[in-house]
Amino acid sequence: MAVEIVIHSGERQGESLRFDAREIRVGDRPEFEVYFNPGTDEPARNQSAIFRLEPDGWKIHNTGVREVLVNEDLVTSSARIRSGDMIRMSPDGPDFSFSLLSGLSQAAGLTPGTAAKLPDSSAVAAQEEQPPKLPASEPASSEQQSMPPPGHPTVLTGAAQRAVGLAVAGLAVIVLLGWLVWGGPGTDRLVGNAAVPPTTEPEIDSDNGTSDKQPDGASAQTGAESHSGADQSAAGQYAARPATHEAPQAKPDPWASAVKRIEPALVLFQVEDPKSSSVWPFATGCAIDPQTILTSATVGSELEKFRADGWQAWAIRLSDESKYMLKEIRVHVGHTASESEPEKRVYFDVARVIVQGTLPATAQLAGTESLAELDRGYPIAWCGIPHDGEAINRFQSFSAESAAGKVFVITSLPPSPGGPRLLHLNVPIPENVIGSPLINPDGKIVAVYCSPAASEAQGARPLNLHYALVVEPQLLGLSEGSESEKVWVAPKGKMTNDE
């Protein structure tokens, strides 16, 4: 069965391989038919798959340590494969397409299990540049010889040349008479007793497409002016118009307006060491009402530990550097209840931080209808305030940043549907921004960033995947009428009234 594999990303991008085989191995081993060297294609390390023609058609069998994707669908064991499918060996690539080519083995002379050698591109180009050879034929008759072959200039006989010459001479006489009667270019034409100015339509240079039209008030050199003795320089008579070239317009950022709406609500949590008075940046949060900041439970719990140890903690708005001292921290009850189950705990990784004072800007939470649209491939953007984790000094500055991506996978806890949902995101999120919001194209919060995904294989390149908890207002006690006192509890290490 003839198969073509075209590599679209990675070190071997652009290569096209053809096989006549019933089984094709792809992966990080040199003996495979399609070999991705992990030294240059790091994402392919420990990844492999087998394409096999079975009685019910072609199938892909994942034999690597991580997921393989077919048209962005995860393949953990095996799946049907069709002509034209796009395969990604890991979430970071490399990518290639799988196509069936009927009749390739007979046309290309392939042996089973071998790749077809494609013609060299330079040789193909050289063949295309050669003119086609005309087939040999019998001498043409005199009538046939008078007709030139296609693509060659026409050659006129002597009689034909004389006839064309007379016609051209007659046409020249007519043009000359017309010029004498109506006047040369640039003179006024007389219609009755009124002078009609010549046409002002620009004359287009056929060679470069430019116009020689004069600006209003400027006069071109004409026969009338030459008789009047006007002595003007050619530069003044034929002032060239400056060429105008429109600069290519930058493609508008589809997330610009959404990010602009949420940035004023972002805050940076900071903590101060009571011994050294050093101030450290800590994490990002987002105001959802004038006294409440939404962040992750991991961030909330750590902030509470700092406060229990005597550190000062506050939230700061970058736009006006206004500071809001923390008043109270509450985390989701599920986060404290699942302390010994980290794989379950992330489904409750959300916190509310109450501040002293009034926050001037807040963000909106996405509604039920918007959250119902979340699915694999859904466009999403991260917004936060990254930092390097070092103590703040006068040479540092912080700013809000954002990055767009999409939902990779959605998982949930029972009951499903109805349980808490976790987004697995394919978004380039920097470090030290846990607790920051994820927004939809309307600029509304759909999730809170929890953590980056850990690598599943020892020594493998970390995946560009991250976890974010979907902010479901009713489920998390954030909607009106919900029993929030049962949902939100004090984190471990909470300060007492005596402290």
Side-chain angles (χ1 to χ4, degrees), residues 46-289:
N46 299 319
Q47 290 295 91
S48 60
I50 297 177
F51 294 84
R52 184 177 293 129
L53 180 59
E54 300 183 1
D56 56 344
W58 280 92
K59 285 188 177 181
I60 178 174
H61 300 272
N62 183 5
T63 55
V65 299
R66 301 196 306 274
E67 298 90 348
V68 172
L69 291 85
V70 176
N71 300 329
E72 298 190 357
D73 291 330
L74 290 175
V75 177
T76 56
S77 56
S78 62
R80 287 286 302 276
I81 193 80
R82 295 175 177 81
S83 181
D85 282 349
M86 183 68 70
I87 295 87
R88 172 169 285 191
M89 289 301 293
S90 78
D92 288 335
D95 304 282
F96 59 89
S97 58
F98 177 95
S99 302
L100 300 179
L101 302 177
S102 60
L104 178 62
S105 57
Q106 292 80 7
L110 293 178
T111 57
T114 62
K117 181 175 178 59
L118 299 179
D120 183 70
S121 58
S122 60
V124 174
Q127 292 178 3
E128 292 177 350
E129 293 176 0
Q130 297 296 326
K133 296 181 179 180
L134 298 177
S137 60
E138 296 294 328
S141 64
S142 59
E143 183 177 355
Q144 290 174 333
Q145 291 176 352
S146 65
M147 298 299 294
H152 289 256
T154 302
V155 180
L156 300 178
T157 62
Q161 289 178 348
R162 288 192 293 274
V164 172
L166 291 175
V168 172
L171 180 60
V173 172
I174 295 173
V175 172
L176 178 61
L177 290 175
W179 185 86
L180 293 174
V181 173
W182 292 93
T187 60
D188 292 345
R189 293 182 286 113
L190 295 178
V191 179
N193 294 324
V196 180
T199 177
T200 58
E201 291 296 322
E203 295 181 1
I204 305 300
D205 188 337
S206 61
D207 292 332
N208 55 25
T210 59
S211 170
D212 290 331
K213 181 181 177 181
Q214 305 288 323
D216 293 339
S219 61
Q221 185 178 12
T222 65
E225 289 172 342
S226 63
H227 288 297
S228 64
D231 185 16
Q232 299 180 357
S233 66
Q237 297 169 13
Y238 299 102
R241 285 189 173 186
T244 58
H245 302 282
E246 293 185 1
Q249 296 183 354
K251 187 177 180 180
D253 181 4
W255 288 97
S257 60
V259 171
K260 186 177 180 180
R261 282 194 289 270
I262 197 170
E263 277 188 352
L266 296 178
V267 298
L268 176 64
F269 290 113
Q270 297 178 349
V271 294
E272 183 180 17
D273 184 352
K275 296 180 180 179
S276 64
S277 298
S278 297
V279 178
W280 303 74
F282 186 61
T284 302
C286 186
I288 57 173
D289 68 45

Side-chain angles (χ1 to χ4, degrees), residues 223-455:
E225 289 172 342
S226 63
H227 288 297
S228 64
D231 185 16
Q232 299 180 357
S233 66
Q237 297 169 13
Y238 299 102
R241 285 189 173 186
T244 58
H245 302 282
E246 293 185 1
Q249 296 183 354
K251 187 177 180 180
D253 181 4
W255 288 97
S257 60
V259 171
K260 186 177 180 180
R261 282 194 289 270
I262 197 170
E263 277 188 352
L266 296 178
V267 298
L268 176 64
F269 290 113
Q270 297 178 349
V271 294
E272 183 180 17
D273 184 352
K275 296 180 180 179
S276 64
S277 298
S278 297
V279 178
W280 303 74
F282 186 61
T284 302
C286 186
I288 57 173
D289 68 45
Q291 280 77 40
T292 306
I293 298 172
L294 190 69
T295 187
S296 75
T298 301
V299 170
S301 299
E302 291 299 317
L303 286 172
E304 194 62 51
K305 290 179 182 178
F306 278 116
R307 298 209 304 161
D309 290 339
W311 291 50
Q312 293 289 326
W314 59 79
I316 188 169
R317 296 182 71 243
L318 299 183
S319 58
D320 55 8
E321 296 186 355
S322 55
K323 183 188 296 186
Y324 299 86
M325 301 303 296
L326 306 190
K327 180 179 180 181
E328 185 179 78
I329 300 175
R330 290 288 184 266
V331 299
H332 195 281
V333 63
H335 191 262
T336 57
S338 57
E339 185 176 5
S340 60
E341 303 175 89
E343 69 282 353
K344 181 180 178 182
R345 199 180 195 196
V346 69
Y347 286 88
F348 305 101
D349 196 0
V350 61
R352 298 172 62 188
V353 178
I354 312 302
V355 299
Q356 300 175 14
T358 302
L359 295 161
T362 61
Q364 286 184 286
L365 300 178
T368 304
E369 293 183 1
S370 296
L371 295 177
E373 295 179 1
L374 291 174
D375 200 354
R376 183 178 299 166
Y378 183 86
I380 202 167
W382 159 85
C383 300
I385 306 172
H387 61 86
D388 57 10
E390 297 182 359
I392 298 176
N393 57 63
R394 64 188 181 91
F395 301 104
Q396 284 177 311
S397 62
F398 304 100
S399 61
E401 297 182 9
S402 62
K406 60 183 178 180
V407 175
F408 186 64
V409 178
I410 301 178
T411 55
S412 64
L413 288 182
S416 183
R421 293 184 292 170
L422 192 69
L423 303 181
H424 301 235
L425 305 172
N426 189 357
V427 181
I429 299 178
E431 296 181 348
N432 301 323
V433 291
I434 290 175
S436 42
L438 280 299
I439 62 173
N440 63 13
D442 294 328
K444 297 181 179 180
I445 300 176
V446 297
V448 171
Y449 177 47
C450 300
S451 68
S455 174

